Amino acid sequence: MNMTGFKETQMKAIETLNSIKKPTSTTNSALKYIPKISSGGGNSSSNRQSSIYTSNTLRDKSQVKEKPSNRIVYDIVSYLKTLEGIPADTKEIYISTNHMIEDKPEILELLRNNEKIIDHGNDRFSFKPKFNVRTQRDILDLLPNYPGGILVSELAESYNNAESDVKKLKETKQIFAIKAAESACDIIFPNDERLRVPLSQELVDMWKSIKLPNEADLEREMKDAGLSVVESVESARQTKSTKLKKERKKRITKVTNTHIENFNPNDDVPQLGSKPI
């Protein structure tokens, strides 16, 4: 090959290299550069290369572990609860919970049969609280209908500021609250003026003058009177006692070298420059 032919071959090689695009970088290793396939059938190796990349991408998506149905329903119910009764369709549910349920009839059926869900049709759902209240006035109007009181946790399902409104009603003494025996949640009652009984000042002073005994004396007096301790209180007392014992428990180490049992390496350490002991 003469010099002129060599230069022509070299220029064609450079033009070919410049015409090839570099693949763009991506964080997904499965999305690699796929060479173009000619309309006339193309190279068989290129077709095999393209099919490999596509199958890798599909395999990565199929390996994503899907959440159980009960977890998906729980996430959706929790989301609908925040909407305070406003319906949401499957697209809005997907945007907020990342659960695509439009093509999952089993999930849609679970939502329709859930007692905490209202089905509005056309795959639109909303949360169904136990009490339909939205304001402090609604709470005050509701309480007289429940002589046994209402759990604050159940009332909180109605709207997001329910617990805050209950706190305000307690501070203004428009309602009363006691702790439930089964849980630490409050049970609220109305402050009905009709139920107030007038008492003499002498009886009030007598009530205030009574001093409550400590826990140990109270338990002993109850047992002497034939009264049993409430199970939850007894359990709490035992838990507290066990915790205190664990805090007081000291670590016990077995000393094998008895001749240095009382030896402390920090005692009588001579300072630099001092005379030896």
Side-chain angles (χ1 to χ4, degrees):
M1 181 184 292
N2 56 23
M3 185 60 65
T4 303
F6 174 78
K7 287 186 177 181
E8 290 178 355
T9 304
Q10 186 181 28
M11 292 301 296
K12 287 182 180 180
I14 293 174
E15 290 176 359
T16 302
L17 292 173
N18 291 334
S19 64
I20 298 176
K21 283 187 176 181
K22 294 182 179 180
T24 55
S25 60
T26 176
T27 55
N28 191 345
S29 60
L31 300 177
K32 297 181 181 179
Y33 173 72
I34 302 177
K36 293 184 179 179
I37 303 174
S38 61
S39 57
N43 193 340
S44 60
S45 62
S46 299
N47 290 331
R48 288 196 298 270
Q49 186 78 356
S50 176
S51 64
I52 291 173
Y53 297 142
T54 307
S55 62
N56 285 342
T57 304
L58 295 176
R59 190 182 299 114
D60 289 343
K61 290 183 178 179
S62 64
Q63 288 175 355
V64 177
K65 188 176 181 181
E66 189 175 351
K67 290 184 178 180
S69 299
N70 57 349
R71 178 65 193 188
I72 295 175
V73 172
Y74 174 81
D75 292 343
I76 295 173
V77 172
S78 300
Y79 162 65
L80 294 176
K81 184 178 177 181
T82 63
L83 301 182
E84 299 183 355
I86 300 175
D89 57 22
T90 54
K91 292 182 179 179
E92 294 170 327
I93 291 173
Y94 172 67
I95 293 172
S96 299
T97 66
N98 201 30
H99 293 312
M100 176 61 73
I101 62 173
E102 193 171 3
D103 56 347
K104 295 181 180 178
E106 69 280 2
I107 301 297
L108 294 173
E109 191 64 22
L110 288 173
L111 290 175
R112 295 187 183 102
N113 296 329
N114 194 301
E115 61 180 6
K116 287 294 184 180
I117 295 295
I118 300 175
D119 182 11
H120 297 271
N122 298 324
D123 294 340
R124 297 171 69 249
F125 305 95
S126 66
F127 182 76
K128 182 182 179 181
K130 184 174 182 178
F131 304 107
N132 186 20
V133 293
R134 292 288 182 271
T135 63
Q136 294 183 27
R137 185 69 262 170
D138 292 342
I139 296 175
L140 294 175
D141 293 340
L142 178 69
L143 282 173
N145 300 325
Y146 294 86
I150 296 176
L151 281 170
V152 176
S153 59
E154 295 179 344
L155 198 65
E157 294 181 349
S158 303
Y159 63 107
N160 297 330
N161 293 328
E163 292 184 351
S164 176
D165 284 346
V166 167
K167 183 179 179 181
K168 293 176 182 178
L169 292 173
K170 287 167 58 178
E171 291 173 349
T172 56
K173 296 185 178 181
Q174 298 183 68
I175 62 173
F176 294 124
I178 61 173
K179 293 290 183 183
E182 298 82 7
S183 64
C185 184
D186 283 349
I187 303 178
I188 57 176
F189 302 85
N191 185 3
D192 194 344
E193 293 288 342
R194 296 173 299 178
L195 303 178
R196 290 182 175 272
V197 179
L199 300 173
S200 64
Q201 188 61 39
E202 181 182 3
L203 185 58
V204 173
D205 293 339
M206 289 176 60
W207 176 267
K208 293 182 178 180
S209 64
I210 298 176
K211 295 182 179 180
L212 293 176
N214 58 44
E215 185 176 346
D217 294 339
L218 179 61
E219 182 179 351
R220 183 173 60 254
E221 291 182 11
M222 288 179 64
K223 289 181 178 179
D224 293 340
L227 301 175
S228 59
V229 181
V230 179
E231 184 178 353
S232 60
V233 175
E234 176 69 16
S235 177
R237 185 182 65 81
Q238 291 178 356
T239 303
K240 183 178 179 181
S241 177
T242 304
K243 185 177 180 181
L244 290 174
K245 287 181 180 179
K246 287 183 178 180
E247 291 177 353
R248 293 174 182 174
K249 187 177 180 180
K250 295 182 180 179
R251 182 179 178 183
I252 302 174
T253 57
K254 185 177 179 180
V255 179
T256 55
N257 297 328
T258 55
H259 62 285
I260 59 169
E261 181 176 356
N262 298 320
F263 172 72
N264 186 347
N266 295 321
D267 291 343
D268 301 327
V269 177
Q271 302 296 324
L272 291 176
S274 61
K275 297 181 180 180
I277 300 176

